[in-house]
Amino acid sequence: MVMNTATVGAAVTPAVVETFVSHYLNRKPLAHKPTAHISYDEGIHLIRKFLVYASHHTVEEIQRFTSQWVPHPRWVKVEELKIPEEYITMSAQAIQEQLGHRGIEKVGGKTWWQWRRPESQLAAEWIEMRADYNERKRTKNPGTRVMLYVHGGAYFFGSVDEHRYQMQRHARKLKARVFAPRYRLAPQFPFPCGLHDCLAAYLYLLTVQDPSHIILAGDSAGGGMVLSMLVILRDRGIPLPAGAILISPWCDLTHSFPSVAGNNPLDYVPPYGFQQKPSPSWPPPNSDDILAIEEGLIKTLSDNDHSKRHESEADAVLGFHVDTHPNPRTKNANADTGTNGSAPIANTIPGSGEDLSIMIDGKLIEIKDQIQMYASNHLISHPLVSPILQPSLGGLPPLLIQTGGGEMLRDEQIYLAHKAANPAKYPPGDAFLDESPHDHNRNQINRWKPTDVQLQVWDDLCHVAPTLSFTRPAKYMYRSIAQFGAWALARAQKTEIEILDDDDVSIISKSSTEEDDATTEKEKSGDAGYKTVGKAGDALPPFKHHMIRQRVDRHGLIRPLEPESELPGCCLPPSEIGIIKEGPVKKWMNARQEWDTRYASAKRRVQKQRAREMAQGYQQFGDGEVPPPSALAGRRKTGADLREKKKERSWGMSLWSLWGSKHDEDALKNEEEANRAPETTIASAEDGAGARPLHDTKTTQGKLLDHGQKPSYSRSRSRRRTVTDQNQTGNQDDVDENIPAADLLAMQDEKLGQPSNTHLTPDFAAKGANPTILVQVPTNEEYDLKRPKAGGIAFPFSLQGHKASASMTTLTSEVGVPPTDDVRTKEVMESGVPENAADVEAKVMRGNEQPAEENNISGKGKGKENIVPVSSAGTENVVENGQVVNAERPALETFVTAASNFPTLG
C-alpha cells in the first residue's frame, strides 16, 4: 500500500478516535501527567501510530512523505537560497582535518561523501515573521538575531517543510530569523554527509552575520548534529556562535544508557529503534550477503536445489546469528582478553574491527545487519556520530538542553549536560581514549574549560515535546527557549535584546480543563513554593558550577533537579558508556526477526536486484574510496537517473502544519486586537453628578511636589521586553563560589603578583575611567576624621557628632536627607547632636525659626516665613513629621568621593 495522505489518515484515525474516548473514560490515571490535556494525549498517540505505520513502508516512502512541499502561512516570510560551492568546500576541509588520517580511513575516504545527486544543490531556507521582515526592511536593519536550526528525524526522515511550523514559532518568540539547511539524509547519504551540509550552512552564515548574532538549535538527531558542529568549530578555531539549544538531543547511537533499555510508556519513539520494509536503500547487505553475492551463489541457484536455497535465504533474511553453544571461554567483555591472551569472542565495543556480538542468556548473539541508518556499526561510537563519547565537551558556548522526563533517551541527555559542565569528571572509557580506534587522547580532557549549561528535565514529557506545539507544556518549552536565546545573544553582543512577552495574548494561556485550572491555581498561589519557567524578558538564574539544573512540571513550575548521585545516567561507569547492552539488543532482535520474517520475500527481491547491479558494476571513485554499503554514492549505476524527484504538495503534512500553526495565528490576532486604539463612547456632563470638581485633584503635599520634577506615567501597549546579561556566568575560571571573599582577594593578589588595590585608602582615588590608575588626593585631616570608612572607603557624609558617645552618633547625609530612623523625625529636636540642615528645615516648616536667606540651608540669618527650603542638590524639599522628603532623589553624581568637593556647613 502506497504511503500518502489518504492511507496515513486511514491508519491514524482509529487511534485518534480511540484516544478521545479512552481519555474521558479513564481520566484518573492521567490526572497528574501531561496526558491530562486532551491535545497532548491525542498528539502523542497520533505520532506513535504514524511511526508504527511508517515502519511497514520503505525508507524512500517515509522520506518522500515527510519532505513534501508544505505551504507556509501568509504571516510568515520564507525565502530559499543556495549555499555557494566555496563554503561546501571549506566545510569538507574542516571535516577532513577533524577526522584525521585514521578517521578518514574508517569513514571510507574523503571524497565520496561530498557527492550529490545530479542537478542538486545544498539549499537553506530563511524563515521570519512577515511583520518583523517588513520592519527590518523599513529601518534597513540586517538583523542581529539568527537561529540556525537543524531539524530532527533520526537522520533519515523529516524536512524543513515538516518542521517549519516549529521554526516559525521560534522566530516569532525571539523576533529572529531562522536559517534552516536542507541537509542530505541517511541511509543514502550516511555520516558525514549531513554534518558536511550543516557545517557549510554555518560557514556561509558567518559571511552575512556576526557570530555573536547567531545561535544554533536542533531537535533529536538535529541536536546531536549541532553538538558535533560545535566541537568541529571549537577544534578548528572557527568562530563559535553565541549559544546553542539542544532539544532532546540524540547523542549516543550505541544506546548504552539505562533509560533506553527500560519501559517508556510516555514516549512515542519505538522501543526497538527504527525498522523499515526492505528496499534498495535499507537495510544494506551485511557481510554474509556481500560474500554470497561475490561468490555468485545467488545467481547460480536453481529452482530444484531446495536445500541450498533454504540455506542461502536463512543467511540473507536473518539480521543476526545465534550461537547456542558458544565456546566456554567466551566472555561478554569490553576490552578484556580470554585465556591464553586470546581476544574475547563477544565484542561489545563498536569500532574495534570485528562484528558486534554479545552474550545473552548463555547464547552468543552476532549482529550482522547494520543497526543505525546514520552510520555503519563500526562507526556508531565515533565521537562525531555519538558526541557523548567526545573526550571533552568543554570550551563550547552556553548550552540549553531540554529533555523529556518520559523519553527513552533522557539518561544520555542528562549525562551530556553534566559532561559539558564538568569535562574532567565525565571522560569516556579507556577503550575510546586510546589512540586506537580514534584520533583522540587523554590530553583532550583537560584542554577546554567547562561549558555553561542550563539543563531542564520536563516531568513525564515525550521526546522533542515542542513537536506538539499546540499543547501547553510545549508552550512553556518555547518560552524557555526564547528566554535562553535572548540571554545568550544579549551576553554575546553586550547589549539589550528585546523579545516578545505574549502571555496575555497566547491562546494556550487562556484555555485549560477545569481540573487543570484547579491544580494550576493552587500551585500559583505559592503553596508549592516554586517559581515558574521564565517568561520572555525574565533573567536567567545564576549558574552554579557552570550549571543551572532544573526539573520542570507540565505547568511550568520549576524545582531543583536531584543530585547527580541520584541520576542513573550520571552514575554509569565510564567503561560502560558506548558499549552495546543486552536490553536494547534484545528489543532490536525481536523486532528484526519480526520484520525479516514478515518481509522475507521483499528482502530476497532486493538482494537479487542488488546482485545483478553489482555484476553490471557501479561507478567508482578514486583510490582508497570505499563508501558504506548503504551510500547511494557507492551504488551509482551507469546511465541511471539519480536526480531528486520533484516535490508534491502533501495535504496530510499541510493539515499537521496548520494544526501546529493555529495557536501562533490566534496569538497574532489577539496581539493585533490588543494593539488597536480603544473604542470611544459619548458621555454627557450630567453623568456622575456629585463628583468632586474636575481640577481639584491634588493634596497639599502633591501641590508641593509639583514644584519639583513631576513623575510621568504611561501605559505601554507593547508586549516586548528587554533582556540583558546579568553576569550569570560571572563566577568562572573554575573558582568555587563557596570560597570566602578574603580568600578570593588573596588568590587575586597572588595571581597579579601585587596587591590588587581594590579597596582605596582615603589618600588615594581612581583616576578617570581607569580604576587601576591611582592618584594621591589632598586630605583635610580634621574633615577626614569626621567621615566614616568601611574597608578604607570614606562615605559621602560626615560624623557631625563625632565627639559624642558611639551609641548617640547619628549619620547625616550632606545632601540634606536625614536617615529615616533619625531621632529628629520623632518629635525630638534636642538629640544631643549639633543642629544641622535637617533640623533647620524641620523648624522652618513648623514655623519655629525663620532663615535669613531664601536658599540658605545653614539656618543663619533672618528671612521670610513661607520659604520652601532647597537642598544642596538643587531640588525643593518637603518636610513631614520633621523629616525632609525630596521630590526627587539627587542624581548619582551628587555623591562625590573627593574630600575637597564636599560642601561644608558655614
Side-chain angles (χ1 to χ4, degrees):
M1 185 180 294
V2 179
M3 188 175 181
N4 54 36
T5 300
T7 57
V8 171
V12 302
T13 298
V16 172
V17 175
E18 180 183 353
T19 302
F20 182 83
V21 174
S22 63
H23 179 85
Y24 290 103
L25 293 179
N26 304 287
R27 298 194 64 185
K28 190 173 182 180
L30 308 176
H32 302 290
K33 301 291 183 182
T35 45
H37 302 271
I38 181 63
S39 58
Y40 185 94
D41 201 10
E42 287 281 19
I44 193 172
H45 279 87
L46 193 152
I47 296 178
R48 184 182 296 147
K49 183 63 178 179
F50 170 78
L51 292 177
V52 171
Y53 174 77
S55 67
H56 295 287
H57 290 75
T58 65
V59 163
E60 293 88 343
E61 286 183 292
I62 188 174
Q63 287 176 341
R64 192 178 306 117
F65 182 82
T66 58
S67 64
Q68 294 180 91
W69 176 72
V70 177
H72 58 270
R74 64 185 183 280
W75 37 269
V76 176
K77 169 70 175 177
V78 174
E79 181 180 358
E80 187 171 282
L81 61 83
K82 306 296 183 182
I83 303 297
E85 189 65 30
E86 59 180 301
Y87 305 107
I88 298 175
T89 302
M90 292 170 58
S91 173
Q93 293 173 347
I95 292 177
Q96 290 171 9
E97 293 174 1
Q98 187 74 13
L99 289 172
H101 175 72
R102 191 174 289 109
I104 291 175
E105 190 176 277
K106 292 180 71 64
V107 167
K110 59 182 180 180
T111 60
W112 69 262
W113 42 271
Q114 301 182 49
W115 177 82
R116 300 178 186 278
R117 292 179 184 269
E119 302 179 11
S120 176
Q121 291 181 273
L122 174 58
E125 194 170 280
W126 283 109
I127 303 169
E128 185 179 12
M129 292 293 101
R130 189 171 294 276
D132 295 339
Y133 168 80
N134 293 335
E135 181 182 342
R136 283 197 310 103
K137 289 302 179 182
R138 184 173 61 255
T139 59
K140 297 182 180 181
N141 179 10
T144 57
R145 304 176 217 177
V146 173
M147 174 186 285
L148 190 155
Y149 194 98
V150 182
H151 70 79
Y155 292 107
F156 80 95
F157 72 96
S159 66
V160 174
D161 290 84
E162 181 197 32
H163 283 71
R164 190 186 296 117
Y165 74 95
Q166 300 177 50
M167 300 178 193
Q168 68 196 29
R169 179 170 294 190
H170 292 307
R172 181 177 70 85
K173 296 286 290 183
L174 193 54
K175 200 178 181 181
R177 306 171 70 198
V178 174
F179 190 67
R182 296 183 179 273
Y183 63 93
R184 293 168 291 170
L185 299 176
Q188 301 95 322
F189 296 95
F191 171 79
C193 295
L195 182 61
H196 176 211
D197 292 349
C198 294
L199 185 59
Y202 179 78
L203 293 177
Y204 162 76
L205 203 55
L206 287 179
T207 65
V208 296
Q209 298 285 161
D210 189 273
S212 65
H213 300 167
I214 305 171
I215 56 174
L216 304 187
D219 64 89
S220 190
M225 188 88 80
V226 165
L227 198 58
S228 294
M229 289 172 59
L230 290 173
V231 170
I232 294 176
L233 297 176
R234 178 198 67 184
D235 293 350
R236 299 299 108 209
I238 302 172
L240 289 164
I245 298 162
L246 311 180
I247 308 169
S248 296
W250 188 20
C251 49
D252 177 26
L253 273 66
T254 68
H255 286 332
S256 60
F257 283 83
S259 59
V260 180
N263 295 323
N264 302 286
L266 297 174
D267 203 8
Y268 56 73
V269 176
Y272 43 76
F274 291 95
Q275 307 285 349
Q276 302 298 140
K277 182 180 178 180
S279 70
S281 296
W282 185 262
N286 57 44
S287 56
D288 288 347
D289 295 334
I290 294 176
L291 181 61
I293 292 173
E294 290 177 348
E295 293 177 354
L297 296 178
I298 298 179
K299 292 169 55 180
T300 59
L301 288 176
S302 60
D303 294 338
N304 57 1
D305 192 354
H306 299 291
S307 61
K308 194 171 186 179
R309 172 181 289 274
H310 177 75
E311 180 183 358
S312 179
E313 282 186 357
D315 288 341
V317 169
L318 200 60
F320 56 89
H321 176 73
V322 180
D323 187 353
T324 56
H325 301 287
N327 189 305
R329 292 184 291 106
T330 298
K331 298 180 180 179
N332 183 17
N334 298 334
D336 299 334
T337 57
T339 58
N340 300 325
S342 61
I345 297 177
N347 174 43
T348 59
I349 307 176
S352 60
E354 301 179 9
D355 288 339
L356 288 175
S357 58
I358 188 172
M359 291 292 296
I360 299 179
D361 300 329
K363 302 175 183 179
L364 179 65
I365 310 298
E366 297 178 72
I367 301 175
K368 295 182 178 182
D369 276 359
Q370 183 173 323
I371 301 173
Q372 307 289 5
M373 296 190 197
Y374 184 50
S376 303
N377 289 351
H378 71 285
L379 280 174
I380 59 175
S381 63
H382 193 283
L384 290 180
V385 175
S386 294
I388 202 77
L389 293 169
Q390 283 286 345
S392 172
L393 291 174
L396 304 180
L399 303 178
L400 168 63
I401 299 177
Q402 291 186 333
T403 180
E407 66 171 299
M408 63 181 293
L409 303 181
R410 61 184 178 275
D411 283 350
E412 66 192 63
Q413 295 159 9
I414 294 173
Y415 176 90
L416 170 72
H418 289 83
K419 177 183 176 73
N422 195 346
K425 187 177 180 180
Y426 296 97
D430 292 340
F432 302 105
L433 279 178
D434 296 334
E435 292 186 2
S436 177
H438 305 299
D439 290 328
H440 299 279
N441 52 50
R442 302 175 190 279
N443 294 332
Q444 294 271 347
I445 298 175
N446 297 317
R447 182 178 181 182
W448 308 102
K449 289 185 177 182
T451 298
D452 296 309
V453 181
Q454 181 182 11
L455 171 63
Q456 293 182 333
V457 181
W458 295 73
D459 291 346
D460 301 319
L461 289 191
C462 62
H463 183 65
V464 194
T467 300
L468 306 175
S469 64
F470 42 81
T471 65
R472 182 173 300 171
K475 168 186 177 290
Y476 291 121
M477 298 186 82
Y478 280 106
R479 172 184 290 178
S480 188
I481 290 170
Q483 180 195 25
F484 178 89
W487 169 80
L489 290 170
R491 177 175 181 266
Q493 299 175 26
K494 299 179 181 179
T495 186
E496 294 181 343
I497 294 293
E498 182 186 77
I499 60 174
L500 176 67
D501 180 8
D502 64 348
D503 192 53
D504 292 336
V505 299
S506 172
I507 189 68
I508 302 180
S509 299
K510 300 180 179 181
S511 61
S512 63
T513 62
E514 294 180 1
E515 174 191 358
D516 189 56
D517 280 341
T519 306
T520 305
E521 288 304 320
K522 181 179 179 180
E523 289 167 334
K524 282 184 177 179
S525 66
D527 293 344
Y530 301 136
K531 296 182 178 180
T532 57
V533 68
K535 293 184 179 181
D538 288 352
L540 287 181
F543 290 80
K544 184 176 182 181
H545 300 299
H546 302 281
M547 290 195 75
I548 300 173
R549 305 171 73 256
Q550 299 173 328
R551 185 174 284 278
V552 192
D553 70 4
R554 64 190 176 96
H555 302 295
L557 295 173
I558 299 174
R559 63 187 188 277
L561 186 64
E562 297 86 343
E564 296 174 53
S565 59
E566 299 179 17
L567 300 173
C570 294
C571 297
L572 197 65
S575 60
E576 290 294 320
I577 298 175
I579 308 301
I580 63 172
K581 301 296 195 306
E582 177 180 347
V585 170
K586 289 177 72 173
K587 292 180 181 180
W588 177 85
M589 285 174 52
N590 293 334
R592 183 75 265 166
Q593 187 171 12
E594 178 185 346
W595 261 255
D596 284 344
T597 303
R598 183 170 184 173
Y599 300 108
S601 59
K603 188 172 183 179
R604 172 58 60 195
R605 288 194 300 269
V606 169
Q607 290 177 327
K608 286 184 177 181
Q609 177 65 27
R610 187 175 287 125
R612 286 192 292 267
E613 293 174 357
M614 290 181 67
Q616 296 173 1
Y618 293 123
Q619 296 183 42
Q620 301 294 317
F621 288 93
D623 294 339
E625 296 293 316
V626 185
S630 71
L632 183 60
R635 46 188 178 89
R636 297 170 297 156
K637 296 180 295 182
T638 302
D641 185 8
L642 298 177
R643 290 177 298 179
E644 193 171 5
K645 295 183 179 180
K646 186 178 180 180
K647 293 182 179 181
E648 298 179 356
R649 177 166 178 168
S650 170
W651 290 104
M653 296 306 302
S654 297
L655 290 174
W656 176 259
S657 177
L658 180 64
W659 193 14
S661 303
K662 180 62 177 174
H663 291 85
D664 292 279
E665 184 174 9
D666 291 340
L668 288 172
K669 289 180 179 178
N670 290 341
E671 183 176 6
E672 183 180 354
E673 184 70 24
N675 287 336
R676 290 180 181 175
E679 296 182 359
T680 59
T681 59
I682 300 176
S684 66
E686 289 75 19
D687 295 340
R692 62 167 170 76
L694 177 63
H695 300 291
D696 187 13
T697 61
K698 296 189 175 81
T699 63
T700 302
Q701 178 179 338
K703 294 176 181 178
L704 290 174
L705 287 172
D706 278 349
H707 290 282
Q709 183 177 354
K710 186 184 300 181
S712 61
Y713 301 95
S714 63
R715 184 179 181 275
S716 173
R717 293 181 175 273
S718 173
R719 270 156 295 282
R720 300 283 175 178
R721 299 178 63 188
T722 56
V723 177
T724 57
D725 177 37
Q726 299 184 7
N727 198 29
Q728 285 91 339
T729 63
N731 191 18
Q732 298 298 331
D733 300 326
D734 300 323
V735 176
D736 190 337
E737 59 267 28
N738 296 319
I739 296 179
D743 295 343
L744 288 175
L745 289 175
M747 293 168 58
Q748 181 179 356
D749 293 347
E750 182 179 356
K751 184 177 180 180
L752 295 175
Q754 60 183 359
S756 58
N757 290 320
T758 55
H759 295 275
L760 305 181
T761 66
D763 297 336
F764 291 87
K767 179 180 181 180
N770 191 341
T772 62
I773 302 178
L774 306 180
V775 295
Q776 191 166 9
V777 296
T779 60
N780 185 326
E781 293 185 2
E782 180 180 357
Y783 183 82
D784 190 63
L785 291 175
K786 301 179 183 180
R787 301 176 64 200
K789 306 178 186 62
I793 301 177
F795 286 93
F797 47 73
S798 63
L799 293 177
Q800 295 292 340
H802 61 276
K803 296 182 180 180
S805 64
S807 61
M808 294 296 294
T809 299
T810 303
L811 304 182
T812 304
S813 170
E814 290 289 355
V815 297
V817 183
T820 56
D821 58 347
D822 195 325
V823 292
R824 287 181 296 276
T825 66
K826 300 180 181 180
E827 304 294 340
V828 180
M829 300 303 297
E830 297 298 327
S831 61
V833 181
E835 190 172 70
N836 61 13
D839 292 324
V840 175
E841 292 170 2
K843 291 180 179 181
V844 169
M845 298 306 299
R846 297 183 182 189
N848 294 330
E849 185 173 337
Q850 298 177 356
E853 298 180 10
E854 184 173 291
N855 290 331
N856 188 348
I857 66 169
S858 64
K860 297 181 179 181
K862 299 180 181 180
K864 300 179 181 179
E865 292 184 357
N866 299 323
I867 298 299
V868 178
V870 180
S871 71
S872 61
T875 59
E876 297 176 356
N877 292 329
V878 178
V879 179
E880 293 183 355
N881 297 327
Q883 181 177 353
V884 178
V885 180
N886 280 351
E888 180 184 21
R889 180 180 176 84
L892 184 62
E893 291 76 8
T894 304
F895 297 92
V896 293
T897 55
S900 58
N901 291 336
F902 275 91
T904 59
L905 299 180

